[in-house]
Amino acid sequence: MTIPTMMTAGRPDPLGASFDGDGVNFAVFSENASRMVLCLFDDRTGEEVARLDFPERTHHVWHGYVEGLVPGQHYGLRAYGPYRPDQGHRFNPNKLLLDPYARRLTGHPVWHDALMGYEVDTPRQDLSFDRRDSAPYMPRAVVVAPSFDWGDDRAPDTALTDTVIYEAHVKGLTARHPRVPSPGTFRALASDPMLEHYDRLGITAIELLPVQAFLNDRFLVEKGLTNYWGYQTLGFFAPEPRYMETGDIAEFQRMVSRLHAAGIEVILDVVYNHTCEGNEFGPTLSFRGLDNASYYRLLPEDRRYYINDTGTGNTVNAGHPMVLRLIMDSLRYWVEVMHVDGFRFDLAATLGRTQAGFDQRAAFFQAVRQDPVLSRVKLIAEPWDIGPGGYQLGAFPAPFLEWNDRFRDGVRRFWREEPGRVPDLAGRLVGSAPQFDHSGRPATSSVNFLTAHDGFTLTDVVSYNQKHNDANGEGGRDGHNANYSDNMGVEGPTTDSAIRAARAQRRRNMMATLLLSQGTPMILAGDELGNSQQGNNNAYCQDNATSWIDWQAVDDAFLAFTAEMIAFRREHPILRQQMFLHSRERAIDHIEDLFWRRADGNPMRRADWEDPDLRLLTVELRTASGTPAYGALEYALFAVFNAGEATTVVIPEAPAGQGWSLHVETSRPGQPPIPVADHLEMPAHAVAVLVLEHVL
């Protein structure tokens, strides 16, 4: 290759590497650096062929233009400045740094002590200064000029009331599928066999565990493990190389296009609360070396150390204008260039932290809410972190949705027959109003789920009392201890037919509860298939059969049941209302919308709600079309949730010309609707749903 010898002034915007047809403009932010250098590499030999000083600096943005460079050029950065960890500065020009705006990476760091900015195993630890070149162990950034032909691609733009989210891992979902091309890749995820599965199931959005480039932690690599989940971001713009066949970002774009054509939205799980560089003993890969004091929140009393509200060693300084710009630019890039439809924000409480603690008016939330690009996509918060006051369920501003762990725990505890759980279940069925019915927020604000990547699978919830995480190499200390699971008599797999039947019944009950509840439902990929992780409830480092869905052991009956329940939800808008239901007349139609009744048909009273032995809950949901006169009932559902023994349930009296039909009964899945007169013989440990219909 021809070695360029000159870098002209260029421009400070946009940040990153931008090809204009004649050359490439480079722009990188650093408020505290004294010098910035661009390193160019031969993409065939990996040899560093040029070092060019950035000639200009505008408002803390270093910039320069190299004529003749083209897409595909490999590059990195070196930053000069003070090495004063006690003041928060960790500049070390011996360390090759990744451009935070890099659109593509060649791979992953190869662990070596040279990646550290300090001398490892010295008495002064991170206060020392390491002079070894880290370039031999670092991936390169690659200049990209996106040119994917989107054709007539159009976002499905599914209404939240119609949304059913499917949380999945790119590799875990496809690695063991016998019919997909290139298992474990973006291509596989949107291949015909997978599209057929999504269509059969009826989901509307796929929420992908992190696909932004991430790091394999050193402690995992040294144990022969890997960072499987991906919550250690290395590059906020670059797709993760391990999910690509050729490294071309068009592979991701092609996946999105195919999913859109099938009516499936793509939501990304993104990690802007921390980076992969860890605490003061972590590697210098990008942000730390470019401007540690700007990119990270540091302890004010000793800036050598990091604020650790995330539990990962560092916390991104989202309150800094240029760091916030990085986050916003990254989000917009994934929407505008990669065409994704939304984001789930890992440890989102961290993004709302100010010096005074969590604030729903924090700069990040204000920026997103006013942004014309981001305010129109789906935004989902994981509403907690491990810092002081970190649990913030229900505190996020609209239009954010929130993962509702109280729904998960409440449903599990009801179905394992804990005392006094009926009132909690009632609240979860109608959108968790105490948490979300404020500030004009709709019932869809609650993302309801039974399981997620972090924890037991649904099969394991009914098969294990204890976590079994020995393979993670942490002595069983990792993973949640409060799983609210129940093995129903035997720990793990069993040949006992009665236990197997009871477990299958409970899974149906829980899935039915999820899909009959107000809110936005989310299903963990594999739950519909009966997938197990053998009791591992923290498989973050298990890139193997533990986490990969076994497509050879599919529970076809439960798959069919789950698809039927999704279809039932889709067919009955009363289950998908944005308005909260509150057992009172609605101004819009003068119909009282919600009734809680005892098994004998009488209204629930305070003593009933407070009865710790109550195991049965019935609810009638009502609505009307148009604005008929009071009492002109048009449509209703009556649902029974019975975690106790078999009993007789009196059903509400039907208006003239209408009658009740039993559409769902989890102890007899797949049965056609049958008329029901005035009472229902309710089986033990089951869910039943009746629909009010016109009688011919």
Side-chain angles (χ1 to χ4, degrees):
M1 62 179 293
T2 302
I3 301 175
T5 59
M6 187 174 69
M7 195 178 198
T8 56
R11 58 189 187 278
D13 190 73
L15 291 166
S18 306
F19 177 64
D20 65 2
D22 296 315
V24 179
N25 189 82
F26 295 90
V28 59
F29 161 75
S30 180
E31 182 174 346
N32 294 293
S34 59
R35 177 187 174 195
M36 191 70 62
V37 175
L38 173 70
C39 303
L40 301 177
F41 295 85
D42 188 307
D43 62 349
R44 296 165 298 175
T45 67
E47 178 186 0
E48 187 173 352
V49 296
R51 291 191 183 186
L52 305 175
D53 275 77
F54 281 76
E56 294 288 344
R57 181 181 186 182
T58 304
H59 305 307
H60 305 309
V61 174
W62 299 79
H63 52 93
Y65 181 85
V66 183
E67 188 174 357
L69 289 188
V70 296
Q73 175 65 54
H74 293 195
Y75 73 100
L77 303 167
R78 295 182 190 270
Y80 291 74
Y83 190 82
R84 290 292 305 272
D86 59 313
Q87 296 179 5
H89 301 307
R90 295 178 180 270
F91 292 98
N92 188 334
N94 300 294
K95 308 306 167 184
L96 185 71
L97 307 174
L98 291 173
D99 177 3
Y101 279 73
R103 267 60 170 177
R104 176 185 163 194
L105 302 182
T106 59
H108 304 91
V110 176
W111 280 108
H112 190 277
D113 286 349
L115 294 174
M116 307 299 177
Y118 62 95
E119 295 178 342
V120 177
D121 297 327
T122 62
R124 299 182 68 238
Q125 297 183 311
D126 65 304
L127 297 178
S128 63
F129 185 80
D130 187 87
R131 299 185 182 279
R132 287 172 291 183
D133 185 6
S134 68
Y137 312 101
M138 281 291 291
R140 318 301 191 219
V142 182
V143 175
V144 170
S147 58
F148 184 73
D149 181 4
W150 285 98
D152 59 356
D153 178 74
R154 179 174 298 180
D157 197 23
T158 307
L160 282 174
T161 52
D162 300 335
T163 295
V164 179
I165 298 171
Y166 189 64
E167 191 200 24
H169 186 283
V170 172
K171 187 172 184 181
L173 182 58
T174 63
R176 299 177 72 184
H177 197 293
R179 295 192 297 117
V180 301
S182 303
T185 64
F186 295 130
R187 179 185 176 198
L189 192 80
S191 62
D192 287 344
M194 296 311 305
L195 296 179
E196 292 167 5
H197 179 69
Y198 308 146
D199 180 65
R200 176 185 179 186
L201 185 57
I203 56 100
T204 68
I206 188 163
E207 181 178 305
L208 297 177
L209 268 69
V211 297
Q212 293 174 333
F214 58 85
L215 180 74
N216 286 325
D217 306 74
R218 189 173 195 172
F219 81 96
L220 292 176
V221 173
E222 290 175 347
K223 291 192 292 186
L225 299 171
T226 190
N227 177 10
Y228 172 66
W229 284 350
Y231 291 91
Q232 289 282 47
T233 307
L234 179 62
F236 292 115
F237 291 78
E240 169 52 41
R242 73 191 74 188
Y243 302 144
M244 297 192 285
E245 297 175 276
T246 66
D248 189 342
I249 68 169
E251 295 180 41
F252 181 91
Q253 294 168 312
R254 192 171 297 111
M255 175 196 73
V256 173
S257 179
R258 285 180 57 83
L259 289 168
H260 281 180
I264 307 295
E265 293 184 308
V266 179
I267 298 171
L268 301 187
D269 194 335
V270 289
V271 187
Y272 294 104
N273 61 84
H274 72 276
T275 78
C276 65
E277 291 183 309
N279 63 13
E280 63 273 13
F281 300 118
T284 297
L285 308 174
S286 180
F287 313 96
R288 172 174 285 133
L290 288 170
D291 196 346
N292 184 70
S294 293
Y295 279 110
Y296 294 115
R297 296 179 63 211
L298 307 176
L299 289 176
E301 64 272 19
D302 190 344
R303 293 174 65 78
R304 174 185 177 186
Y305 301 107
Y306 296 79
I307 292 173
N308 186 22
D309 291 328
T310 65
T312 65
N314 66 59
T315 302
V316 167
N317 186 15
H320 189 291
M322 292 301 289
V323 180
L324 179 59
R325 177 178 171 182
L326 168 71
I327 296 172
M328 297 295 290
D329 286 349
S330 170
L331 292 169
R332 280 190 292 264
Y333 175 80
W334 287 97
V335 174
E336 295 181 313
V337 177
M338 306 300 243
H339 283 209
V340 305
D341 306 284
F343 304 94
R344 179 264 191 189
F345 295 90
D346 177 65
L347 300 182
T350 300
L351 298 173
R353 286 192 176 274
T354 66
Q355 291 183 348
F358 178 83
D359 186 349
Q360 64 175 218
R361 296 162 298 183
F364 169 74
F365 298 134
Q366 301 285 53
V368 169
R369 295 174 71 196
Q370 63 78 42
D371 190 277
V373 173
L374 301 179
S375 60
R376 62 179 174 81
V377 302
K378 291 179 171 62
L379 303 170
I380 304 170
E382 182 183 36
W384 50 77
D385 64 19
I386 70 163
Y391 188 78
Q392 293 291 334
L393 180 69
F396 284 71
F400 281 86
L401 285 64
E402 301 177 40
W403 271 26
N404 188 350
D405 61 327
R406 292 188 183 178
F407 181 95
R408 174 198 64 199
D409 294 348
V411 171
R412 291 185 185 188
R413 297 176 74 178
F414 175 82
W415 285 112
R416 75 172 192 169
E417 303 177 49
E418 289 188 21
R421 300 306 304 177
V422 164
D424 182 80
L425 181 67
R428 304 306 156 206
L429 291 173
V430 289
S432 297
Q435 285 74 43
F436 296 104
D437 189 12
H438 61 82
S439 307
R441 301 183 73 182
T444 49
S445 300
S446 174
V447 176
N448 299 331
F449 62 101
L450 304 170
T451 60
H453 69 274
D454 186 5
F456 280 148
T457 68
L458 186 57
T459 290
D460 289 353
V461 168
V462 301
S463 303
Y464 294 91
N465 284 348
Q466 307 295 329
K467 62 186 180 183
H468 296 266
N469 296 357
D470 291 344
N472 297 351
E474 299 185 36
R477 296 181 299 276
D478 63 305
H480 298 296
N481 292 315
N483 296 292
Y484 305 113
S485 57
D486 180 9
N487 67 20
M488 308 187 77
V490 174
E491 186 76 351
T494 180
T495 58
D496 186 303
S497 59
I499 293 177
R500 289 168 64 91
R503 289 175 175 177
Q505 174 68 18
R506 185 166 294 180
R507 282 192 292 137
R508 291 193 295 271
N509 292 341
M510 294 175 71
M511 187 62 75
T513 305
L514 171 67
L515 292 165
L516 293 170
S517 297
Q518 269 194 294
T520 302
M522 183 183 81
I523 298 170
L524 174 64
D527 275 356
E528 78 280 13
L529 306 172
N531 188 58
S532 170
Q533 291 181 170
Q534 297 78 53
N536 192 322
N537 77 344
N538 190 36
Y540 74 102
C541 56
Q542 298 299 321
D543 189 5
N544 51 47
T546 299
S547 298
W548 302 343
I549 293 171
D550 185 359
W551 290 90
Q552 302 297 325
V554 171
D555 184 339
D556 286 311
F558 191 63
L559 172 57
F561 175 80
T562 304
E564 289 168 5
M565 287 305 307
I566 292 175
F568 184 82
R569 180 182 182 86
R570 183 170 58 247
E571 293 162 3
H572 295 279
I574 198 170
L575 297 171
R576 300 183 279 106
Q577 298 181 78
Q578 289 198 87
M579 296 178 63
F580 284 92
L581 307 176
H582 286 297
S583 298
R584 59 174 179 258
E585 289 183 30
R586 303 195 314 179
I588 189 172
D589 50 29
H590 303 290
I591 295 293
E592 192 171 352
D593 54 22
L594 183 67
F595 297 83
W596 305 103
R597 293 194 176 90
R598 303 186 314 204
D600 65 6
N602 289 312
M604 290 279 286
R605 302 300 182 194
R606 181 172 180 175
D608 301 314
W609 290 114
E610 295 176 351
D611 182 358
D613 296 323
L614 184 64
R615 298 290 185 273
L616 181 142
L617 177 67
T618 79
V619 59
E620 182 185 0
L621 309 176
R622 291 184 179 181
T623 190
S625 60
T627 53
Y630 176 80
L633 182 62
E634 292 286 335
Y635 175 56
L637 290 181
F638 181 69
V640 184
F641 302 85
N642 183 22
E645 298 306 312
T647 189
T648 299
V649 174
V650 175
I651 62 177
E653 182 179 356
Q658 294 180 284
W660 294 99
S661 293
L662 180 64
H663 281 242
V664 175
E665 210 273 76
T666 57
S667 68
R668 298 185 306 116
Q671 299 297 313
I674 58 173
V676 178
D678 54 1
H679 70 277
L680 175 69
E681 294 302 328
M682 186 67 196
H685 314 298
V687 175
V689 185
L690 294 83
V691 179
L692 186 65
E693 299 174 320
H694 289 279
V695 179
L696 298 179

